[in-house]
Amino acid sequence: MAVIEVNHPLIQHKLTILRDKTTDTKTFRENLNEIAKLMTYEATKNLKVEESTVETPIMKTRGYTLQDKAVGIVPILRAGLGMVEGILDLVPTAKIGHIGVYRNEETLEPVYYYCKLPEDIAERKVLLLDPMLATGGSAVYAIDYLKENGVTDIVFMCLVAAPEGIAKILNKHPDVDIYIAKIDQGLDSNGYIYPGLGDCGDRIFGTK
Ligand code: PRP
Ligand code: URA
């Protein structure tokens, strides 16, 4: 397994827009999807392709095609939804599942409320999405859930991560690769990532 910080100037520029507390909802959503798209390029670099033959205007040559069941996308509700569109731009054949987990504000423990997965999810490489990895409770819950449903190939993609959350995934699920736009400093007394970007779900959906 690996922890990869995708330290690209385009991503860091867009992340700074997301961190800015004056950024409006529309701009926030656009930049989040753009970062997700850029990170997908890295996170899918080991996808399997099938050899094929393609006829160019000049001659026949070897080509490479993604398998139909190559990718599944599973956003953790709500904030993971903010990354889906950007990824679909690159992998339009992906099927999409949803896992609903929210964090109890006092205990910080994950609370499950919904799940719907594609039937063939176990055959796919699953990109599990949540912009925020704080204590890691939600991500570990979602990974447990996917594995219980037969998924063996999981990549977790997030925007900002606290070291505490990374350690929790590494400890419980050492086989899962983690792609992160930026590893932040830690968690404050309310369990928020600092410097972070605040409550990501609220900023995506304009709920606060
Ligand atoms: C946020 C975030 C993660 C979780 C991270 O969701 O999107 O799912 O908190 O925290 P953790 O690593 O400590 O579990 P939240 O509970 O605010 O739900 P929401 O997306 O519906 O707003
Ligand atoms: N969830 C968020 O949306 N932000 C944080 O900083 C931590 C959890």
Side-chain angles (χ1 to χ4, degrees), residues 9-29:
L10 290 176
I11 291 178
Q12 299 312 332
H13 173 83
K14 291 173 190 298
L15 178 57
T16 303
I17 294 171
L18 296 186
R19 288 196 197 275
D20 185 340
K21 67 180 182 185
T22 68
T23 296
D24 63 72
T25 306
K26 176 176 181 286
T27 310
F28 192 93
R29 278 200 289 258

mmCIF file of all heavy atoms in Angstrom, residues 9-29:
data_model
loop_
_atom_site.group_PDB
_atom_site.id
_atom_site.type_symbol
_atom_site.label_atom_id
_atom_site.label_comp_id
_atom_site.label_asym_id
_atom_site.label_seq_id
_atom_site.Cartn_x
_atom_site.Cartn_y
_atom_site.Cartn_z
ATOM 1 N N PRO A 9 1.457 21.616 -8.878
ATOM 2 C CA PRO A 9 1.131 23.046 -8.762
ATOM 3 C C PRO A 9 -0.334 23.371 -9.072
ATOM 4 O O PRO A 9 -0.945 24.215 -8.411
ATOM 5 C CB PRO A 9 2.059 23.710 -9.792
ATOM 6 C CG PRO A 9 3.152 22.736 -10.029
ATOM 7 C CD PRO A 9 2.626 21.370 -9.752
ATOM 8 N N LEU A 10 -0.915 22.709 -10.067
ATOM 9 C CA LEU A 10 -2.317 23.002 -10.409
ATOM 10 C C LEU A 10 -3.240 22.627 -9.261
ATOM 11 O O LEU A 10 -4.198 23.331 -8.935
ATOM 12 C CB LEU A 10 -2.732 22.215 -11.667
ATOM 13 C CG LEU A 10 -2.109 22.642 -12.989
ATOM 14 C CD1 LEU A 10 -2.560 21.701 -14.102
ATOM 15 C CD2 LEU A 10 -2.487 24.074 -13.319
ATOM 16 N N ILE A 11 -2.913 21.492 -8.632
ATOM 17 C CA ILE A 11 -3.737 21.028 -7.505
ATOM 18 C C ILE A 11 -3.556 21.963 -6.309
ATOM 19 O O ILE A 11 -4.530 22.375 -5.665
ATOM 20 C CB ILE A 11 -3.375 19.574 -7.153
ATOM 21 C CG1 ILE A 11 -3.838 18.649 -8.287
ATOM 22 C CG2 ILE A 11 -4.000 19.158 -5.825
ATOM 23 C CD1 ILE A 11 -3.504 17.186 -8.096
ATOM 24 N N GLN A 12 -2.327 22.341 -6.022
ATOM 25 C CA GLN A 12 -2.092 23.208 -4.865
ATOM 26 C C GLN A 12 -2.726 24.580 -5.069
ATOM 27 O O GLN A 12 -3.249 25.186 -4.125
ATOM 28 C CB GLN A 12 -0.584 23.322 -4.583
ATOM 29 C CG GLN A 12 0.092 21.991 -4.242
ATOM 30 C CD GLN A 12 -0.652 21.149 -3.191
ATOM 31 O OE1 GLN A 12 -1.362 21.689 -2.341
ATOM 32 N NE2 GLN A 12 -0.520 19.827 -3.256
ATOM 33 N N HIS A 13 -2.737 25.062 -6.308
ATOM 34 C CA HIS A 13 -3.387 26.350 -6.606
ATOM 35 C C HIS A 13 -4.896 26.254 -6.337
ATOM 36 O O HIS A 13 -5.487 27.105 -5.661
ATOM 37 C CB HIS A 13 -3.132 26.720 -8.074
ATOM 38 C CG HIS A 13 -3.893 27.931 -8.534
ATOM 39 N ND1 HIS A 13 -3.460 29.223 -8.306
ATOM 40 C CD2 HIS A 13 -5.082 28.036 -9.171
ATOM 41 C CE1 HIS A 13 -4.346 30.073 -8.787
ATOM 42 N NE2 HIS A 13 -5.339 29.388 -9.320
ATOM 43 N N LYS A 14 -5.497 25.194 -6.847
ATOM 44 C CA LYS A 14 -6.958 25.041 -6.680
ATOM 45 C C LYS A 14 -7.321 24.768 -5.218
ATOM 46 O O LYS A 14 -8.358 25.225 -4.730
ATOM 47 C CB LYS A 14 -7.467 23.910 -7.584
ATOM 48 C CG LYS A 14 -7.386 24.277 -9.065
ATOM 49 C CD LYS A 14 -7.731 23.101 -9.937
ATOM 50 C CE LYS A 14 -7.411 23.395 -11.396
ATOM 51 N NZ LYS A 14 -8.170 24.521 -11.944
ATOM 52 N N LEU A 15 -6.462 24.041 -4.524
ATOM 53 C CA LEU A 15 -6.725 23.762 -3.110
ATOM 54 C C LEU A 15 -6.704 25.057 -2.291
ATOM 55 O O LEU A 15 -7.490 25.222 -1.349
ATOM 56 C CB LEU A 15 -5.683 22.763 -2.575
ATOM 57 C CG LEU A 15 -5.790 22.402 -1.095
ATOM 58 C CD1 LEU A 15 -7.176 21.827 -0.766
ATOM 59 C CD2 LEU A 15 -4.711 21.409 -0.708
ATOM 60 N N THR A 16 -5.833 25.961 -2.671
ATOM 61 C CA THR A 16 -5.780 27.247 -1.959
ATOM 62 C C THR A 16 -7.087 28.015 -2.146
ATOM 63 O O THR A 16 -7.585 28.666 -1.211
ATOM 64 C CB THR A 16 -4.574 28.072 -2.463
ATOM 65 O OG1 THR A 16 -3.395 27.281 -2.268
ATOM 66 C CG2 THR A 16 -4.442 29.386 -1.716
ATOM 67 N N ILE A 17 -7.693 27.900 -3.328
ATOM 68 C CA ILE A 17 -9.010 28.530 -3.560
ATOM 69 C C ILE A 17 -10.042 27.884 -2.628
ATOM 70 O O ILE A 17 -10.875 28.561 -2.030
ATOM 71 C CB ILE A 17 -9.411 28.383 -5.040
ATOM 72 C CG1 ILE A 17 -8.455 29.197 -5.920
ATOM 73 C CG2 ILE A 17 -10.871 28.806 -5.269
ATOM 74 C CD1 ILE A 17 -8.604 28.970 -7.416
ATOM 75 N N LEU A 18 -9.976 26.574 -2.479
ATOM 76 C CA LEU A 18 -10.937 25.887 -1.601
ATOM 77 C C LEU A 18 -10.731 26.258 -0.131
ATOM 78 O O LEU A 18 -11.689 26.348 0.632
ATOM 79 C CB LEU A 18 -10.806 24.364 -1.749
ATOM 80 C CG LEU A 18 -11.149 23.767 -3.110
ATOM 81 C CD1 LEU A 18 -11.109 22.251 -3.020
ATOM 82 C CD2 LEU A 18 -12.508 24.209 -3.590
ATOM 83 N N ARG A 19 -9.491 26.455 0.258
ATOM 84 C CA ARG A 19 -9.224 26.796 1.669
ATOM 85 C C ARG A 19 -9.772 28.179 2.015
ATOM 86 O O ARG A 19 -10.152 28.428 3.160
ATOM 87 C CB ARG A 19 -7.718 26.785 1.932
ATOM 88 C CG ARG A 19 -7.074 25.413 1.957
ATOM 89 C CD ARG A 19 -5.708 25.561 2.607
ATOM 90 N NE ARG A 19 -4.790 24.459 2.392
ATOM 91 C CZ ARG A 19 -4.740 23.351 3.126
ATOM 92 N NH1 ARG A 19 -5.651 23.160 4.073
ATOM 93 N NH2 ARG A 19 -3.825 22.429 2.897
ATOM 94 N N ASP A 20 -9.791 29.068 1.042
ATOM 95 C CA ASP A 20 -10.179 30.468 1.280
ATOM 96 C C ASP A 20 -11.628 30.534 1.759
ATOM 97 O O ASP A 20 -12.545 30.111 1.062
ATOM 98 C CB ASP A 20 -10.010 31.238 -0.042
ATOM 99 C CG ASP A 20 -10.258 32.727 0.109
ATOM 100 O OD1 ASP A 20 -10.916 33.144 1.093
ATOM 101 O OD2 ASP A 20 -9.806 33.468 -0.781
ATOM 102 N N LYS A 21 -11.842 31.092 2.939
ATOM 103 C CA LYS A 21 -13.195 31.092 3.509
ATOM 104 C C LYS A 21 -14.157 31.981 2.732
ATOM 105 O O LYS A 21 -15.368 31.878 2.912
ATOM 106 C CB LYS A 21 -13.161 31.479 4.985
ATOM 107 C CG LYS A 21 -12.738 32.903 5.261
ATOM 108 C CD LYS A 21 -12.745 33.157 6.760
ATOM 109 C CE LYS A 21 -12.379 34.609 7.030
ATOM 110 N NZ LYS A 21 -12.249 34.886 8.457
ATOM 111 N N THR A 22 -13.634 32.861 1.856
ATOM 112 C CA THR A 22 -14.537 33.735 1.087
ATOM 113 C C THR A 22 -14.959 33.097 -0.242
ATOM 114 O O THR A 22 -15.747 33.682 -0.989
ATOM 115 C CB THR A 22 -13.875 35.111 0.792
ATOM 116 O OG1 THR A 22 -12.801 34.917 -0.122
ATOM 117 C CG2 THR A 22 -13.379 35.773 2.064
ATOM 118 N N THR A 23 -14.445 31.918 -0.571
ATOM 119 C CA THR A 23 -14.808 31.270 -1.849
ATOM 120 C C THR A 23 -16.285 30.864 -1.837
ATOM 121 O O THR A 23 -16.759 30.247 -0.885
ATOM 122 C CB THR A 23 -13.908 30.032 -2.086
ATOM 123 O OG1 THR A 23 -12.563 30.485 -2.228
ATOM 124 C CG2 THR A 23 -14.319 29.260 -3.333
ATOM 125 N N ASP A 24 -17.006 31.239 -2.917
ATOM 126 C CA ASP A 24 -18.443 30.944 -2.946
ATOM 127 C C ASP A 24 -18.691 29.481 -3.331
ATOM 128 O O ASP A 24 -17.799 28.781 -3.810
ATOM 129 C CB ASP A 24 -19.168 31.896 -3.916
ATOM 130 C CG ASP A 24 -18.688 31.709 -5.338
ATOM 131 O OD1 ASP A 24 -19.022 30.682 -5.948
ATOM 132 O OD2 ASP A 24 -17.935 32.580 -5.843
ATOM 133 N N THR A 25 -19.930 29.044 -3.149
ATOM 134 C CA THR A 25 -20.292 27.631 -3.340
ATOM 135 C C THR A 25 -19.998 27.140 -4.757
ATOM 136 O O THR A 25 -19.464 26.048 -4.947
ATOM 137 C CB THR A 25 -21.792 27.465 -3.039
ATOM 138 O OG1 THR A 25 -22.022 27.986 -1.737
ATOM 139 C CG2 THR A 25 -22.227 26.027 -3.079
ATOM 140 N N LYS A 26 -20.351 27.955 -5.751
ATOM 141 C CA LYS A 26 -20.163 27.528 -7.148
ATOM 142 C C LYS A 26 -18.672 27.318 -7.440
ATOM 143 O O LYS A 26 -18.268 26.288 -7.989
ATOM 144 C CB LYS A 26 -20.756 28.592 -8.074
ATOM 145 C CG LYS A 26 -20.543 28.333 -9.550
ATOM 146 C CD LYS A 26 -21.265 29.392 -10.375
ATOM 147 C CE LYS A 26 -21.092 29.160 -11.864
ATOM 148 N NZ LYS A 26 -19.754 29.514 -12.354
ATOM 149 N N THR A 27 -17.863 28.280 -7.055
ATOM 150 C CA THR A 27 -16.417 28.184 -7.292
ATOM 151 C C THR A 27 -15.834 27.009 -6.510
ATOM 152 O O THR A 27 -14.942 26.291 -6.992
ATOM 153 C CB THR A 27 -15.720 29.497 -6.860
ATOM 154 O OG1 THR A 27 -16.432 30.590 -7.458
ATOM 155 C CG2 THR A 27 -14.278 29.541 -7.289
ATOM 156 N N PHE A 28 -16.339 26.798 -5.308
ATOM 157 C CA PHE A 28 -15.865 25.688 -4.482
ATOM 158 C C PHE A 28 -16.120 24.359 -5.192
ATOM 159 O O PHE A 28 -15.224 23.528 -5.328
ATOM 160 C CB PHE A 28 -16.582 25.733 -3.119
ATOM 161 C CG PHE A 28 -15.977 24.822 -2.092
ATOM 162 C CD1 PHE A 28 -15.011 25.288 -1.207
ATOM 163 C CD2 PHE A 28 -16.360 23.496 -2.010
ATOM 164 C CE1 PHE A 28 -14.439 24.445 -0.254
ATOM 165 C CE2 PHE A 28 -15.802 22.648 -1.069
ATOM 166 C CZ PHE A 28 -14.847 23.126 -0.190
ATOM 167 N N ARG A 29 -17.360 24.187 -5.662
ATOM 168 C CA ARG A 29 -17.713 22.919 -6.342
ATOM 169 C C ARG A 29 -16.858 22.705 -7.589
ATOM 170 O O ARG A 29 -16.382 21.598 -7.847
ATOM 171 C CB ARG A 29 -19.183 22.941 -6.751
ATOM 172 C CG ARG A 29 -20.133 22.572 -5.640
ATOM 173 C CD ARG A 29 -21.470 22.152 -6.192
ATOM 174 N NE ARG A 29 -22.200 23.255 -6.741
ATOM 175 C CZ ARG A 29 -23.217 23.871 -6.119
ATOM 176 N NH1 ARG A 29 -23.616 23.469 -4.939
ATOM 177 N NH2 ARG A 29 -23.840 24.869 -6.693
#
